[in-house]
Amino acid sequence: SWENPPSTYEEMVEASLKEQNILFRGKPTFIGLSSGTSGANSKQVIYNPELMKIFKRFQMKIGSVLHHDYGINPVFDKRIGWGSLPVLDTDENGVPRGYVSGYMSTKSPKLVQKANLTSVKTASLTDMDEKLEKASKELWGQDIHFLP
């Protein structure tokens, strides 16, 4: 039992990064940052290996819905992968921290990643001019169209 238990989500996140077995069993493996659109600061979402497994299963299920309902095959149909930087830094405990979209796009099943027309390295670039230059080279000559 805690002398002063966390009373807010922010306090719970802070405590879980310092101690094990608070939000879930074991240590956090990633701190996901929201885009911060609802305020000045990004919200932190703590991930562990089990949550990562759930995310991958969710991706595969969404892929099967896309295939069944829209004829899109996430394994073979080529697409542009465009995410934010996967890891920005690490916290004081060495846990990597970055934007959820960028990190999760690098954690997609390898089978699905093969269909990305842009490399993870290019999609992760922070300099937009460099990102567009490299992506345009990777995409040159590809048949690109929008989904209905």
Side-chain angles (χ1 to χ4, degrees), residues 30 47-63 99-109 112-113:
F30 178 69
Y47 290 84
N48 69 346
E50 184 59 31
L51 191 53
M52 293 296 188
K53 288 179 193 172
I54 291 168
F55 173 76
K56 287 184 179 184
R57 286 195 309 263
F58 173 76
Q59 279 190 317
M60 296 306 287
K61 288 179 181 181
I62 288 294
Y99 292 107
V100 174
S101 62
Y103 190 75
M104 292 307 199
S105 68
T106 65
K107 300 299 178 189
S108 297
V112 174
Q113 282 185 17

Side-chain angles (χ1 to χ4, degrees), residues 10-30:
E10 289 78 13
E11 289 176 2
M12 186 74 76
V13 166
E14 187 177 325
S16 71
L17 292 170
K18 294 177 182 170
E19 302 176 41
Q20 289 189 33
N21 304 323
I22 293 180
L23 290 175
F24 42 72
R25 279 187 237 137
K27 295 178 81 172
T29 55
F30 178 69

Side-chain angles (χ1 to χ4, degrees), residues 66-121:
L66 288 172
H67 184 63
H68 181 268
D69 292 353
Y70 300 99
I72 299 167
N73 187 326
V75 175
F76 298 110
D77 290 349
K78 300 292 184 183
R79 65 188 159 278
I80 297 173
W82 199 265
S84 54
L85 191 63
V87 176
L88 298 172
D89 60 12
T90 57
D91 77 342
E92 58 274 3
N93 301 300
V95 179
R97 177 174 33 217
Y99 292 107
V100 174
S101 62
Y103 190 75
M104 292 307 199
S105 68
T106 65
K107 300 299 178 189
S108 297
K110 297 284 186 215
L111 188 63
V112 174
Q113 282 185 17
K114 290 179 183 180
N116 282 344
L117 293 171
T118 49
S119 66
V120 170
K121 184 176 179 181

Side-chain angles (χ1 to χ4, degrees), residues 4 7 26 35 39 47 97 109 111 114 122 134 137 141 143-144:
N4 296 312
S7 60
S35 63
Y47 290 84
R97 177 174 33 217
L111 188 63
K114 290 179 183 180
T122 296
K134 292 196 184 244
K137 289 177 182 174
D143 179 20
I144 300 172

